[in-house]
Amino acid sequence: MISLTINGKKRKLDMDPNTPLLWVLRDKLHMTGTKLGCGMALCGACTVHMNGSPVRSCSLPISAAEGAKIETIEGINSPAFQAVQQAWRELDVVQCGYCQSGQIMSATALLQTNKNPTDADIDTAMSGNLCRCATYHRIRGAIHQAADKLGGKA
Amino acid sequence: MNFLKRQTIQAQQNSRSSALSRRTFLQAVSAGGGLLLGSGFLIGSASVAAADKSIAAASTTAADAPVFNAFLKITPDSKVTMIVKHLDMGQGVSTGLTSLVAEELDASWEQMQWEFAPADNHRYNNLFWGPTQGTGGSSSIANSWMQLREAGAAARAMLVAAAAAEWKVPAEEIRVSNGIISHGTRSSNFGAFAAKASLLPVPQKPAVKDPKDFQLIGKTIPRKDSNEKTSGKAIYTQDIQLPGMLTALVAYPPQVFGKVKKVNAAKAKASPGVVAVVEFPRGVAVVAENFWAAKKARELLKIEWDLSACETRSSDELFKACHDAASKTGISVKNAGDAIAALAKAKQVIEAKYELPYVTHAAIEPINCVVKVEKNSCELWFACQMPTIDQQQVAAATGIKPEHVKINTLYAGGSFGRRACPSDYVVDAANIAKQIPGRAVKMLWTREDEILNARYRPMAVHHIRGAVSSRGKVVAWQHHAVAQAILRGTPFEGFIQGEVDGTVAEGIEDMHYTIPNLQVQATEIPIKVSTLWWRSVGHSGNAFVVETFIDQLAKAANKDPVVFRRKLLADTPRALGVLNLAAEKSAWGNSLPEGVARGIAVHKSFGTWVAQVAEVRVKDDGSFKVERVVCAVDCGVAVNPDVIRAQMEGGIGMGLSAALGEAITLKKGVVEQSNFHNYPLLRIDAMPKVEVHIVPSAEMPSGVGEPGLPPIAGAVANALFAATGKPLTKLPLGNKV
């Protein structure tokens, strides 16, 4: 039995402890905003927050999340997330959109720790998230815009 | 897929028998019956039924007639729902097509919503493809341009007529603006008149607006899909949840064209959560209660494969075979003047031999499909790119009548051509689900499955010889393109015109440069690897070849690449237009910082001209970075400038990804790549700043989904050529020169 908190709700999971967190979210809890892309922590489509830090849920066995606080795109609501989401919408960042939950979770994590990231900071923080539509140019712009909006209060 | 367009246009011009054979070939079927839509009043539904009858009477023209009355419905709460006949895979058609209707309807953008159309080859066909519903060839806006404007204009006229009758005033005196119908002091929303309007006759040729009156077309309006795609709420195939749904993972042979010889599934069947293990023609599927159970059980399968029909050569041998073919005479696809004689007379002949690798689509959403087979019907949920073809193929696989195969189209998490593929994953999913009747089965591919079963952009080899005159003109160009055909051996083989697949030399035989002696030959090389259209198809590699060779010729002529091109494009004003705009906006000719070089490329694909200038910083150790790209595009009327910009940015990013690092290679016939560690995609740190400039135009709109991709590889290679003086003729370029 593994206990963890997902989007503020305590969960007890009686499952194979090797099950990746991604499949608990998707197949058991039907939270499908977090996506499968590669299954090897190479693309970032499955990014969620564990204790506030971005992790790749496709490669994180639930046994490694015992007692952790998990936040997904469905539950996160920090000021940084709100600013990121708003900027994403104002700049119409999305194209196919499939990777964007992961992009937004990584961008939120960045702004929660770095109030005023440079392009280089953004490239470093976001380089684990692939976007085949190559919305990268707008992602950079949206993160700057969200940082401006937060005005250093992230 | 411009050859589809070409074929269709030609078929339309040809005799009746040609059109019929095309129809038979596609085995196109009518979904018939009523529309599978939600509640609301479908404008002109009576006329749709009449149109069905006329098509049932075997008219050969009605299928291509505009069926504008099937595209929108208005509910009493004044919500206008636009029926989107194309797949939205990120290119923004849900926004673009909806705006065409909204414009002519004089609706407010906020009241517009949309949903994907059901499969229906005469109501929702691609007008460029005859009676086939499908998305590709950057044709969605182009083929729908007048059809949807007329649909909106017709609905507007019907609302006005209903209001005129109710208010007892002349229709001409009624105004419609921003979703409000008004006359004098009276006004109403659309909802109040929707029911009455829907019963009126549909105007056959409704007047559309003068472009100067456009309120939405040409303006920056927000995408309709941004909110749900930034909240995790957008539903992709991957996300479908149905009662009792099972998950299927497939063990495919390690090479395409392999077959199952012997299966031992005992351990897999005994694995927790497994419901069934089923064989089907292309593999063995483990069907389980969830993904993880299916994945663990799949690892327990013991399968012997018959690989006797599979490729055995390695990439270097395949390239050698291509070079051998290129050194022989190919099939002539263009022969203007006498290139051989002109080259014999030339003082200096420039020669180049190119190699382009297989590349794969690698959309971030791996391939998947949900199918539920009942006794006499079947329902699918997936990102369907060719609805009426998939419907027909599922019918053939399951023995269910096509009209009882219902397709629910969902967002695609990228496609880039991959989901427009007959006899492939959709048929696999149906073959699995039919063995578990009554249960919805979600077939998922992992990334490894996806790369193994990818259908690659063909590898290619080009041999070129060219010469320039002392006055800096190209006097001769002799070109032999060798590549595997895309359509040969597929259900689309009938689309190949002439002796050679048109994708081998597209963008070369019809290059926009004026060259008096131009000889283009093409040769198909058979390789036992599955191929498919990859964003911009043949143009993706051919533009690189043509544009870098042009720079080699410019250097031989001792001319600046832009000045050189200007002369060759004097007869092609729209090409010249993008060339000049890109040159101006990039300040071509002005000095650059130390270590930075520029390169330019211009290419037309799918009716759209694009020029790109790449600024590349080359370090002392030879490593380089593309820092900035200035892009000029002429796609006719710019329906949605921001979506156009986005598609150019995306095309540049994907093209750069392939140019720098993508290659599928074979070792003794086996694909060597499996996931993003050995098939690296462009990441944000390699993405340049991009500036997009749109040429103002009143021409018919053409596509933007693909044309942004072809020029970038050539623009970057030309910048590196300028920096080092060394021409680059192989892709990928890698990260060093």
Side-chain angles (χ1 to χ4, degrees):
Chain A
M1 188 75 74
I2 288 155
S3 304
L4 69 174
T5 305
I6 299 175
N7 294 333
K9 195 170 170 184
K10 286 198 171 140
R11 303 271 183 179
K12 282 190 191 309
L13 303 171
D14 185 11
M15 299 171 73
D16 172 4
N18 292 323
T19 309
L21 176 62
L22 175 66
W23 297 105
V24 173
L25 297 174
R26 294 186 58 83
D27 277 355
K28 191 170 176 66
L29 304 177
H30 296 170
M31 294 179 182
T32 57
T34 307
K35 307 299 187 194
L36 167 73
C38 68
M40 285 179 72
L42 297 167
C43 79
C46 66
T47 305
V48 299
H49 289 190
M50 182 161 84
N51 302 327
S53 296
V55 294
R56 315 300 183 204
S57 65
C58 74
S59 303
L60 185 83
I62 49 171
S63 57
E66 171 73 50
K69 279 187 184 159
I70 304 294
E71 282 179 301
T72 73
I73 186 86
E74 288 92 352
I76 192 162
N77 203 26
S78 67
F81 168 76
Q82 289 174 10
V84 165
Q85 189 185 51
Q86 189 185 344
W88 243 248
R89 291 174 178 177
E90 285 171 0
L91 296 187
D92 269 348
V93 168
V94 304
Q95 289 186 30
C96 91
Y98 189 81
C99 74
Q100 297 293 349
S101 295
Q103 302 281 0
I104 287 171
M105 295 305 284
S106 289
T108 299
L110 168 65
L111 290 181
Q112 283 174 181
T113 54
N114 183 342
K115 295 171 189 171
N116 198 11
T118 62
D119 276 353
D121 294 337
I122 292 171
D123 285 357
T124 303
M126 302 300 292
S127 65
N129 289 79
L130 289 174
C131 176
R132 188 55 157 164
C133 304
T135 60
Y136 301 126
H137 178 69
R138 291 187 189 215
I139 286 173
R140 260 190 226 129
I143 292 174
H144 284 305
Q145 187 163 312
D148 289 348
K149 191 112 194 166
L150 286 164
K153 286 178 290 190
Chain B
M1 269 173 280
N2 60 343
F3 55 89
L4 276 174
K5 176 178 173 181
R6 225 158 40 211
Q7 173 76 14
T8 305
I9 290 167
Q10 176 150 2
Q12 284 163 352
Q13 291 160 351
N14 282 355
S15 66
R16 179 194 169 98
S17 63
S18 159
L20 281 174
S21 69
R22 173 171 48 102
R23 229 153 264 185
T24 312
F25 158 67
L26 282 170
Q27 298 176 294
V29 290
S30 159
L35 281 176
L36 305 164
L37 301 173
S39 59
F41 298 98
L42 186 67
I43 296 294
S45 47
S47 299
V48 173
D52 282 347
K53 273 188 197 157
S54 71
I55 288 159
S59 157
T60 54
T61 54
D64 296 331
V67 281
F68 54 79
N69 39 28
F71 288 102
L72 71 157
K73 56 186 181 176
I74 301 172
T75 38
D77 62 359
S78 288
K79 289 265 186 279
V80 180
T81 302
M82 156 72 194
I83 315 300
V84 172
K85 67 176 184 175
H86 289 290
L87 175 64
D88 200 320
M89 40 197 152
Q91 82 282 39
V93 289
S94 54
T95 295
L97 298 179
T98 301
S99 73
L100 299 182
V101 165
E103 176 68 66
E104 297 291 345
L105 189 60
D106 278 315
S108 73
W109 187 235
E110 293 71 30
Q111 79 187 119
M112 297 300 298
Q113 49 191 32
W114 67 278
E115 61 192 34
F116 285 118
D120 187 327
N121 63 10
H122 63 262
R123 207 172 287 154
Y124 299 120
N125 60 322
N126 185 324
L127 299 183
F128 290 170
W129 294 4
T132 301
Q133 184 184 356
T135 305
S138 296
S139 62
S140 299
I141 291 284
N143 94 91
S144 308
W145 171 241
M146 286 312 293
Q147 181 185 41
L148 293 185
R149 288 177 63 201
E150 287 180 354
R156 182 190 188 278
M158 291 154 79
L159 288 167
V160 166
E166 175 93 9
W167 293 341
K168 297 186 173 55
V169 298
E172 298 74 36
E173 291 178 8
I174 289 178
R175 288 188 70 238
V176 185
S177 175
N178 210 26
I180 300 296
I181 308 166
S182 62
H183 182 273
T185 55
R186 268 181 298 205
S187 70
S188 168
N189 57 25
F190 289 175
F193 288 111
K196 282 182 182 163
S198 72
L199 300 173
L200 296 173
V202 180
Q204 287 307 301
K205 261 293 167 196
V208 295
K209 284 182 180 174
D210 187 316
K212 73 175 167 47
D213 298 324
F214 285 158
Q215 301 293 312
L216 297 170
I217 292 172
K219 307 291 192 294
T220 292
I221 52 173
R223 284 179 76 113
K224 282 288 176 194
D225 54 352
S226 261
N227 283 6
E228 54 183 340
K229 287 180 176 175
T230 52
S231 57
K233 288 182 183 153
I235 298 296
Y236 302 82
T237 314
Q238 199 80 13
D239 307 328
I240 283 287
Q241 308 284 337
L242 296 167
M245 188 179 76
L246 300 169
T247 297
L249 257 70
V250 180
Y252 283 100
Q255 289 181 262
V256 286
F257 306 121
K259 285 193 170 67
V260 178
K261 201 192 275 176
K262 206 169 142 196
V263 186
N264 180 343
K267 280 189 179 170
K269 279 181 181 163
S271 190
V274 172
V275 174
V277 175
V278 300
E279 280 187 56
F280 66 103
R282 298 210 313 149
V284 181
V286 174
V287 186
E289 282 164 8
N290 56 57
F291 173 88
W292 194 243
K295 184 165 186 292
K296 290 210 304 185
R298 183 172 70 166
E299 290 161 8
L300 301 173
L301 284 173
K302 288 203 164 40
I303 306 172
E304 274 181 54
W305 301 101
D306 173 2
L307 302 176
S308 56
C310 301
E311 185 57 60
T312 57
R313 291 169 290 177
S314 299
S315 288
D316 51 353
E317 295 169 86
L318 295 173
F319 275 122
K320 186 176 178 306
C322 289
H323 281 297
D324 288 348
S327 63
K328 296 180 183 125
T329 304
I331 292 160
S332 174
V333 291
K334 171 91 181 179
N335 202 3
D338 189 339
I340 306 300
L343 285 165
K345 275 192 278 177
K347 278 188 193 154
Q348 186 196 2
V349 173
I350 312 298
E351 289 192 52
K353 292 180 178 179
Y354 286 86
E355 288 183 5
L356 311 174
Y358 288 114
V359 293
T360 188
H361 304 79
I364 304 298
E365 180 184 22
I367 286 291
N368 44 26
C369 185
V370 181
V371 188
K372 186 178 183 185
V373 178
E374 304 279 5
K375 192 162 177 237
N376 296 311
S377 66
C378 174
E379 190 165 0
L380 295 93
W381 296 259
F382 71 111
C384 179
Q385 195 167 346
M386 289 188 161
T388 53
I389 292 173
D390 288 336
Q391 184 183 48
Q392 186 66 36
Q393 294 220 319
V394 169
T398 57
I400 289 163
K401 290 180 179 167
E403 58 268 34
H404 296 147
V405 174
K406 179 182 174 184
I407 294 178
N408 303 281
T409 296
L410 306 168
Y411 281 125
S415 168
F416 316 107
R418 181 63 185 87
R419 284 189 181 268
C421 186
S423 312
D424 187 38
Y425 74 96
V426 181
V427 174
D428 289 355
N431 276 326
I432 296 164
K434 78 177 181 190
Q435 299 187 53
I436 306 159
R439 299 285 294 268
V441 177
K442 182 192 281 184
M443 184 193 76
L444 299 182
W445 285 5
T446 62
R447 178 59 52 193
E448 290 79 7
D449 298 335
E450 146 103 20
I451 288 189
L452 175 68
N453 290 291
R455 306 238 168 165
Y456 312 114
R457 193 275 310 272
M459 60 186 291
V461 159
H462 297 253
H463 287 189
I464 318 178
R465 299 196 306 145
V468 291
S469 70
S470 54
R471 297 168 68 193
K473 286 200 169 177
V474 179
V475 293
W477 183 305
Q478 183 200 7
H479 195 131
H480 191 172
V482 176
Q484 192 180 347
I486 290 175
L487 303 179
R488 194 71 66 197
T490 77
F492 288 128
E493 186 165 338
F495 279 120
I496 298 175
Q497 294 174 288
E499 289 176 77
V500 64
D501 189 323
T503 63
V504 175
E506 65 182 352
I508 302 167
E509 49 161 318
D510 53 343
M511 69 170 83
H512 44 212
Y513 298 113
T514 302
I515 294 166
N517 302 296
L518 174 63
Q519 183 200 82
V520 183
Q521 296 185 340
T523 297
E524 286 180 19
I525 187 140
I527 301 172
K528 285 179 261 179
V529 167
S530 274
T531 56
L532 191 65
W533 26 69
W534 183 88
R535 195 175 189 175
S536 80
V537 200
H539 295 282
S540 65
N542 294 350
F544 165 76
V545 172
V546 170
E547 287 303 296
T548 51
F549 196 68
I550 283 281
D551 265 38
Q552 286 203 53
L553 295 175
K555 192 178 183 197
N558 202 22
K559 298 278 182 198
D560 170 87
V562 168
V563 174
F564 187 70
R565 281 179 175 78
R566 257 183 212 137
K567 264 194 179 171
L568 300 177
L569 293 173
D571 299 332
T572 317
R574 292 177 75 183
L576 201 54
V578 291
L579 175 79
N580 285 333
L581 185 59
E584 177 206 326
K585 297 293 183 185
S586 64
W588 185 272
N590 287 10
S591 63
L592 284 163
E594 179 73 25
V596 179
R598 282 194 196 94
I600 192 162
V602 190
H603 192 77
K604 179 196 179 191
S605 59
F606 311 97
T608 294
W609 280 264
V610 179
Q612 288 163 4
V613 174
E615 291 176 9
V616 183
R617 180 178 294 278
V618 184
K619 292 189 184 155
D620 291 341
D621 65 357
S623 64
F624 64 88
K625 184 165 189 220
V626 183
E627 294 191 332
R628 177 176 177 238
V629 175
V630 176
C631 174
V633 52
D634 178 352
C635 57
V637 173
V639 171
N640 187 317
D642 197 52
V643 168
I644 294 167
R645 282 192 287 272
Q647 287 308 298
M648 293 301 116
E649 292 159 10
I652 288 164
M654 188 167 172
L656 188 59
S657 183
L660 297 180
E662 293 181 31
I664 290 286
T665 55
L666 303 184
K667 189 171 182 185
K668 294 187 174 161
V670 179
V671 171
E672 295 186 284
Q673 289 71 33
S674 58
N675 207 319
F676 296 129
H677 61 294
N678 50 19
Y679 192 84
L681 304 187
L682 188 88
R683 293 180 183 272
I684 193 170
D685 54 349
M687 183 73 189
K689 290 190 163 61
V690 178
E691 256 179 51
V692 179
H693 303 277
I694 302 170
V695 175
S697 172
E699 299 282 339
M700 283 279 286
S702 47
V704 294
E706 294 166 276
L709 189 146
I712 188 63
V716 170
N718 285 340
L720 294 169
F721 182 39
T724 65
K726 213 177 98 187
L728 295 166
T729 54
K730 281 184 190 176
L731 291 179
L733 301 169
N735 52 15
K736 268 192 174 186
V737 282

